[in-house]
Amino acid sequence: MADEFAKGLGILTGGGLVWMVLSGWYTTPGFEDTQLIGEIPGDLDTYGQAAIVFREATFWFVILGVLVFWVVIPALQQYREA
């Protein structure tokens, strides 16, 4: 169980850091405005659009990865033991 927890924690911290960096670069208009979840600018180039897609993919990777390693895999192991 500790192995799955460590993998889930690694996904949470690593993916969360990537998400926060990309969100800080692209969706934080200023320190007094909404931070990390602001509006996505409309005048992005190809690399900016790819970064926004990667930001969204990272968000879902973190959510699903943590759920798999902290809920699904331990539940399957408990089911197999029973």
Side-chain angles (χ1 to χ4, degrees):
M1 292 291 187
D3 187 35
E4 284 83 15
F5 179 78
K7 289 176 186 175
L9 187 62
I11 288 173
L12 181 66
T13 56
L17 178 65
V18 170
W19 182 86
M20 285 194 305
V21 167
L22 291 174
S23 295
W25 284 344
Y26 291 102
T27 59
T28 300
F31 289 111
E32 292 82 23
D33 296 329
T34 303
Q35 295 185 0
L36 300 179
I37 56 170
E39 297 244 354
I40 297 171
D43 59 342
L44 293 175
D45 58 349
T46 304
Y47 292 116
Q49 292 174 358
I52 294 298
V53 169
F54 185 62
R55 172 185 171 256
E56 295 299 318
T58 303
F59 174 78
W60 287 109
F61 171 72
V62 168
I63 298 297
L64 295 175
V66 166
L67 283 175
V68 164
F69 281 106
W70 287 355
V71 177
V72 174
I73 292 175
L76 288 175
Q77 289 177 351
Q78 290 290 328
Y79 178 74
R80 275 191 226 148
E81 291 175 3

